[in-house]
Amino acid sequence: LRGGGGGGASNANTDQRGDETSIEQSSDEDRYSRQVYTLGARAHALVRSATVVIDGPAQSGLLYECGKNLALSGVGSVVILMDDNKESRDVHAAYHHAPLDDLGNAYQNAARAETGIDVAKEGLEELAAEYLRRLNPSLKVTLMKRSEFLAMCYGEDSSGGSKDQDVLGTNPVFMSVDRPQSTQLVLNDACRRRRGR
């Protein structure tokens, strides 16, 4: 039987909202208990605080596979780099031939069914980001144009570096998947310059 008046219900709601953070932490502890047991609490805390920047075509099966594994491993934040314009997308599409990427097509179909996102309106990048958010609700997923990322790395960010620190964290890990070597070399140079600052 439930007890009493309306005052008890409002206290229960207040307590419930106050406990959301502890419930989220508890579910994270349950979710990653094997990793904490295997790696240790300190190592898993480093994983939870890590930021990974992924650059790859949004229709790439490898991008989805890497993102999925990162989300399920408990990484704290993922930044997905997007192509800036149609010409850039066309160059990379010539390198990564999407119609032959069965894994990419399977992941996109699953993500569309799971999220209900209209790709024509929202884009493939948002589809991938929302798919990762659904895999791990505590994961922070950010979309960023490649030109913005390069500007941050080369110290040309107009916000004075605060956005850089917020989005990328202190020591991000960078992954490039299904990109031509020329793009990989540009991004490698940018990452090295950022690290040297």
Side-chain angles (χ1 to χ4, degrees):
L1 291 174
R2 283 190 142 167
S10 68
N11 287 341
N13 288 338
T14 304
D15 291 343
Q16 184 179 9
R17 275 183 258 131
D19 289 339
E20 284 178 6
T21 304
S22 63
I23 290 171
E24 188 175 302
Q25 288 175 336
S26 171
S27 70
D28 275 355
E29 288 173 8
D30 293 342
R31 181 180 291 150
Y32 303 116
S33 61
R34 286 180 238 161
Q35 286 177 248
V36 172
Y37 178 75
T38 305
L39 300 173
R42 182 171 179 255
H44 185 67
L46 290 172
V47 171
R48 294 288 302 150
S49 67
T51 298
V52 180
V53 179
I54 305 176
D55 182 35
Q59 65 270 25
S60 167
L62 188 55
L63 177 111
Y64 274 94
E65 186 66 24
C66 291
K68 175 197 74 157
N69 290 333
L70 290 166
L72 296 177
S73 72
V75 166
S77 179
V78 170
V79 177
I80 299 174
L81 297 185
M82 304 182 302
D83 290 315
D84 293 304
N85 51 43
K86 186 179 181 337
E87 292 81 29
S88 178
R89 279 190 295 276
D90 290 345
V91 166
H92 292 111
Y95 180 78
H96 174 262
H97 191 64
L100 297 179
D101 187 354
D102 291 338
L103 183 62
N105 293 329
Y107 269 119
Q108 284 179 57
N109 291 336
R112 282 187 189 110
E114 173 70 26
T115 64
I117 287 181
D118 182 5
V119 174
K121 290 182 183 176
E122 310 249 357
L124 289 170
E125 292 87 358
E126 184 57 42
L127 178 69
E130 185 58 30
Y131 180 71
L132 296 180
R133 288 182 194 112
R134 297 235 179 159
L135 285 174
N136 183 352
S138 63
L139 176 69
K140 179 182 174 190
V141 182
T142 307
L143 295 174
M144 177 185 288
K145 290 186 177 181
R146 189 178 301 105
S147 61
E148 292 174 11
F149 175 76
L150 293 173
M152 280 187 205
C153 290
Y154 289 118
E156 300 166 3
D157 186 23
S158 60
S159 66
S162 61
K163 183 179 178 186
D164 179 7
Q165 199 65 12
D166 293 343
V167 174
L168 299 180
T170 55
N171 196 17
V173 176
F174 185 82
M175 296 176 66
S176 181
V177 296
D178 287 334
R179 291 293 192 205
Q181 186 177 17
S182 59
T183 302
Q184 292 176 28
L185 291 173
V186 167
L187 294 168
N188 180 52
D189 181 59
C191 291
R192 288 176 183 270
R193 287 181 188 244
R194 181 185 185 280
R195 182 148 174 102
R197 285 192 292 146

